[in-house]
Amino acid sequence: MAMEAPGLRERKKRETRLALSRAAIRLSIERGWDNVTVEAIAAEANVSVRTFRNYFANKAEAIAASHVERSLRIADELRTRPTDEPLWDSITDAVQAQFAAGERSATDSEDDRRWRDALRLMLAEPALQGEVVKANAAAQNALAAAIAERTGTDAARDVYPQLVAAVIGAGTAAAVEHCLRADEPLPLARVLREVFDRIRAGLPVP
């Protein structure tokens, strides 16, 4: 029991972080960046402002935390995949599973167009962009650790796990950006599959 408790506490902390992050994202998209306060985020997540402050310094940090949590879950998924499964098959399935969990349906309704426009505006906020840079570094380290375990390499000494983690980050970012900029709505799962199929094939010229 003593060995399991820290794991349970950590899971609960991650769940709280994710709930706050999702509340921050949802409110910023619905109301606009400047119209969302820490107090509103805490209320949306049904926690106190003090609890919010225990996890995040500001709303930008809270929003960026979703990216780190998604990467942690991808890393967790990689650790559970069959060891004889090709690495990029495992990576592709793990990435798709985590992005699909929070993906909206790709429709061309007025509400969805407004949602995509608001998401683009939110991501363009300078304060958020700075936090995203930090989140990318944390996400890459988490993925590199899982890849190192799977491949028998050293995340601190070998370039391979860091390289693969960086490619995962670049690939997912390219897929999300492509979907956000598309004139017609695109299903992110399909674009992610295309991106990682191309990476797995060595990025041949189209």
Side-chain angles (χ1 to χ4, degrees):
M1 291 294 294
M3 292 179 64
E4 293 178 2
L8 177 60
R9 285 197 297 270
E10 181 59 28
R11 285 197 300 274
K12 288 186 175 297
K13 288 167 69 173
R14 282 175 61 178
E15 288 170 1
T16 301
R17 285 177 62 87
L18 184 58
L20 285 165
S21 184
R22 287 177 171 170
I25 292 170
R26 184 166 57 252
L27 291 177
S28 295
I29 289 175
E30 292 174 355
R31 302 180 185 180
W33 178 265
D34 293 330
N35 299 319
V36 177
T37 63
V38 167
E39 289 77 9
I41 296 168
E44 181 76 4
N46 198 30
V47 301
S48 68
V49 172
R50 181 178 179 180
T51 296
F52 179 97
R53 297 294 187 192
N54 286 339
Y55 286 90
F56 304 114
N58 51 59
K59 63 184 175 184
E61 187 178 316
I63 289 171
S66 278
H67 177 44
V68 179
E69 177 60 29
R70 184 184 291 115
S71 296
L72 289 172
R73 293 188 177 199
I74 292 170
D76 290 344
E77 175 71 13
L78 284 176
R79 291 184 174 97
T80 68
R81 306 290 299 189
T83 56
D84 59 349
E85 183 178 49
L87 177 62
W88 281 101
D89 287 353
S90 297
I91 289 171
T92 301
D93 288 347
V95 170
Q96 280 197 301
Q98 291 309 317
F99 274 87
E103 183 181 5
R104 291 168 61 98
S105 59
T107 67
D108 198 26
S109 70
E110 184 63 29
D111 284 346
D112 281 338
R113 284 195 294 272
R114 283 198 297 266
W115 186 88
R116 289 195 297 272
D117 290 343
L119 180 56
R120 283 195 292 265
L121 286 174
M122 184 188 74
L123 292 174
E125 284 293 329
L128 180 56
Q129 290 177 345
E131 291 298 335
V132 167
V133 171
K134 298 177 189 177
N136 283 337
Q140 183 169 318
N141 287 337
L143 290 170
I147 292 160
E149 292 175 24
R150 185 181 176 89
T151 59
T153 54
D154 188 322
R157 298 174 181 270
D158 298 322
V159 71
Y160 184 78
Q162 290 288 347
L163 176 61
V164 173
V167 171
I168 294 171
T172 54
V176 171
E177 181 72 13
H178 183 70
C179 289
L180 287 177
R181 291 185 177 276
D183 293 331
E184 300 294 332
L186 295 172
L188 180 56
R190 191 186 76 195
V191 177
L192 281 167
R193 173 65 65 177
E194 178 184 352
V195 164
F196 283 96
D197 283 348
R198 289 179 181 273
I199 290 171
R200 180 168 36 199
L203 292 178
V205 177

